[in-house]
């Protein structure tokens, strides 16, 4: 995206701000700093926009008002899917978002949120914090002049809303679907036509027939956005999004100007938001699931043939990304090494425990 075109679309005020922000400065310890944060989702969106606003509130309070963040929802300052450009170019100072929205800039961003059959939410956090993932993320995002922080996770998502059953790869051919990241690429390779629509556009696109099916998040968000009212079949779980990470990323120059204590406050606020967001989704998805069923929704699962087809198409896409350059190759090797180790552990511990719990509740033993 060209800087001149972007600033023209963002308006005169944004252009004036960018011009001011372009001149480097040294922040004094007692100076009040005012930042602008953009998001690709509307303010107040359950778990997403609401927790972006919570991050800003945390920073404001923890800094004693020295670092004040004003939050802009999708379209309020810049279009939903131009947040990365805005922060990179200094139109905004930071963003609350999810990495795969920047797939078009570099598909390797997907490794730091979610990939098909990849890391669950808690595993992604483990890899980033203790498995070398954060250093790789910093290195990748340096090309956009931003510093990333993990600031949340939606947990295991749903496979999406469909108005016909999907029983074979042939059922995907020609289907217009809202699918993000590598999942969308897998859908494309299997004959569907994927598009990445902002949150506010998903429901009207389903209603109008502009798309035939859509994945969004899970029961909490999907019900809140009305998707259960326009589609009959709810495919779970998501092959594409086992644990989608949420990020806060900050213009590197702006972050470097902060005093050390404010840098630490930003980092700690992001970490607090990471736990808050994952807990938020865990609780509210459970609460909303029954409401989804009461709308007449029929739960479906992708069969083994489809899962294997999704896996093959996804692996091809991931290997192509890994082969792009030395950095993406290192990222791919690191995340896949951890995922391969996590798979047998998860099967014997977590999957077994979940099945055992479901059985004792279902048969009345417990």
């Amino acid at each position: 995206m060209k800087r001149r075109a972007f600033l023209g679309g963002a308006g005169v005020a944004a252009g004036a701000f960018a011009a001011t922000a372009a001149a480097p400065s040294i922040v004094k310890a007692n100076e009040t700093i005012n930042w602008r944060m953009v998001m690709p989702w509307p303010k107040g969106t359950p778990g997403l926009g609401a927790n972006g606003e919570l991050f800003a509130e945390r920073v404001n309070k923890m800094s004693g008002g020295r670092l004040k963040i004003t939050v802009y929802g999708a379209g309020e300052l810049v279009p939903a899917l131009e947040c990365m450009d805005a922060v990179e170019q200094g139109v905004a100072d930071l963003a609350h978002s999810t990495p795969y929205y920047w797939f078009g800039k570099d598909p390797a961003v997907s490794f730091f949120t979610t990939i098909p059959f990849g890391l669950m939410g808690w595993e992604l956090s483990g890899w980033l914090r203790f498995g070398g993932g954060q250093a790789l993320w910093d290195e990748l995002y340096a090309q956009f002049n931003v510093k990333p922080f993990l600031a949340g996770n939606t947990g295991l998502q749903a496979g999406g809303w469909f108005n016909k059953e999907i029983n074979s790869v042939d059922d995907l051919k020609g289907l217009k679907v809202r699918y993000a990241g590598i999942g969308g690429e897998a859908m494309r390779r299997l004959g569907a036509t994927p598009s990445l629509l902002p949150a506010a556009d998903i429901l009207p696109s389903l209603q109008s027939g502009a798309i035939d099916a859509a994945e969004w998040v899970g029961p909490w968000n999907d019900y809140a956005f009305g998707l259960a009212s326009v589609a009959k079949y709810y495919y779970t779980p998501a092959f594409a999004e086992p644990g989608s990470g949420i990020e806060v990323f900050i213009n590197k120059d702006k972050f470097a100007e902060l005093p050390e204590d404010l840098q630490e406050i930003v980092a700690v606020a992001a970490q607090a938001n990471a736990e808050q967001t994952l807990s938020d989704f865990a609780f509210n998805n459970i609460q909303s699931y029954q409401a989804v069923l009461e709308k007449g929704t029929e739960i479906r699962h992708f069969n083994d043939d489809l899962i294997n087809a999704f896996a093959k198409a996804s692996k091809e896409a991931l290997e192509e990304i890994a082969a792009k350059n030395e950095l993406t190759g290192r990222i791919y090797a690191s995340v896949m090494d951890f995922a391969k180790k996590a798979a047998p552990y998860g099967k014997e511990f977590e999957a077994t425990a979940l099945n055992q719990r479901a059985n004792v509740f279902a048969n009345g033993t417990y």
Side-chain angles (χ1 to χ4, degrees):
M1 182 172 202
K2 299 296 184 184
R3 178 176 176 82
R4 183 174 299 172
F6 182 89
L7 294 179
V12 175
F17 174 80
T20 302
S25 61
I26 299 173
V27 175
K28 298 177 181 178
N30 60 350
E31 183 178 341
T32 298
I33 304 159
N34 293 289
W35 276 1
R36 304 204 290 185
M37 185 173 85
V38 291
M39 304 190 296
W41 26 68
K43 286 192 289 189
T45 301
L48 299 170
N51 282 335
E53 294 172 82
L54 178 62
F55 168 79
E57 292 172 10
R58 276 201 169 104
V59 171
N60 293 346
K61 290 178 181 177
M62 292 168 66
S63 69
R66 289 167 55 214
L67 179 53
K68 296 181 179 179
I69 298 175
T70 302
V71 180
Y72 296 87
E76 292 184 341
L77 184 63
V78 297
L81 300 182
E82 294 181 8
C83 294
M84 177 66 85
D85 294 294
V87 176
E88 181 179 1
Q89 297 171 7
V91 174
D93 302 289
L94 71 164
H96 179 269
S97 181
T98 187
Y100 58 42
Y101 279 7
W102 325 123
F103 187 89
K105 295 176 76 67
D106 190 327
V109 299
S110 298
F111 293 116
F112 300 100
T113 177
T114 191
I115 59 172
F117 310 103
L119 302 177
M120 307 297 280
W122 57 93
E123 294 168 344
L124 177 68
S125 181
W127 174 64
L128 288 172
R129 300 196 190 284
F130 302 106
Q134 183 66 53
L136 292 167
W137 198 8
D138 288 341
E139 191 173 350
L140 182 72
Y141 269 34
Q143 67 183 312
F144 309 133
N145 194 40
V146 300
K147 162 68 177 172
F149 294 91
L150 180 66
N153 202 292
T154 66
L156 177 60
Q157 294 198 7
W161 295 89
F162 296 79
N163 273 314
K164 72 171 188 177
E165 293 191 70
I166 307 299
N167 295 312
S168 69
V169 171
D170 285 341
D171 292 330
L172 296 172
K173 298 188 184 305
L175 206 66
K176 295 172 292 185
V177 298
R178 190 274 182 194
Y179 249 77
I182 304 298
E185 177 59 20
M187 283 284 184
R188 186 190 67 78
R189 291 172 185 243
L190 295 176
T193 302
S195 59
L196 177 58
L197 296 174
D201 294 345
I202 299 173
L203 178 62
S205 296
L206 274 173
Q207 289 173 322
S208 69
I211 57 174
D212 303 308
E215 61 80 30
W216 172 214
V217 186
W220 186 23
N221 293 85
D222 293 359
Y223 184 79
F225 275 71
L227 304 188
S229 299
V230 294
K232 181 178 181 180
Y233 301 108
Y234 197 27
Y235 275 79
T236 67
F239 78 90
E241 302 200 37
S244 301
I246 304 299
E247 64 187 352
V248 163
F249 58 82
I250 303 166
N251 181 283
K252 282 190 69 177
D253 299 326
K254 289 291 185 178
F255 187 71
E257 290 170 5
L258 291 179
E260 188 174 336
D261 66 325
L262 291 185
Q263 290 184 350
E264 183 67 10
I265 282 171
V266 168
V268 170
Q271 186 164 357
N273 249 58
E275 191 280 332
Q276 169 88 23
T277 304
L278 182 58
S279 301
D280 212 2
F281 276 98
F283 180 81
N284 284 291
N285 276 331
I286 291 169
Q287 302 299 316
S288 299
Y289 181 61
Q290 188 60 40
V292 167
L293 296 179
E294 289 171 358
K295 296 290 287 187
T297 301
E298 296 186 25
I299 302 298
R300 294 289 186 272
H301 307 297
F302 295 120
N303 62 40
D304 288 345
D305 288 343
L306 279 164
I307 289 297
N308 289 331
F310 288 140
K312 181 179 178 181
S314 299
K315 184 179 180 183
E316 290 172 354
L318 291 168
E319 288 179 341
E320 288 178 15
I321 294 169
K324 281 182 55 182
N325 55 56
E326 186 268 344
L327 173 57
T328 56
R330 283 190 286 119
I331 295 170
Y332 176 73
S334 179
V335 72
M336 291 303 289
D337 177 67
F338 189 60
K340 287 176 181 177
K341 291 175 181 175
Y345 175 86
K347 177 184 177 182
E348 299 303 334
F349 281 74
E350 289 146 356
T352 300
L354 289 170
N355 283 330
Q356 289 172 346
R357 184 179 67 180
N359 289 337
V360 298
F361 273 102
N363 66 26
T365 303
Y366 198 66

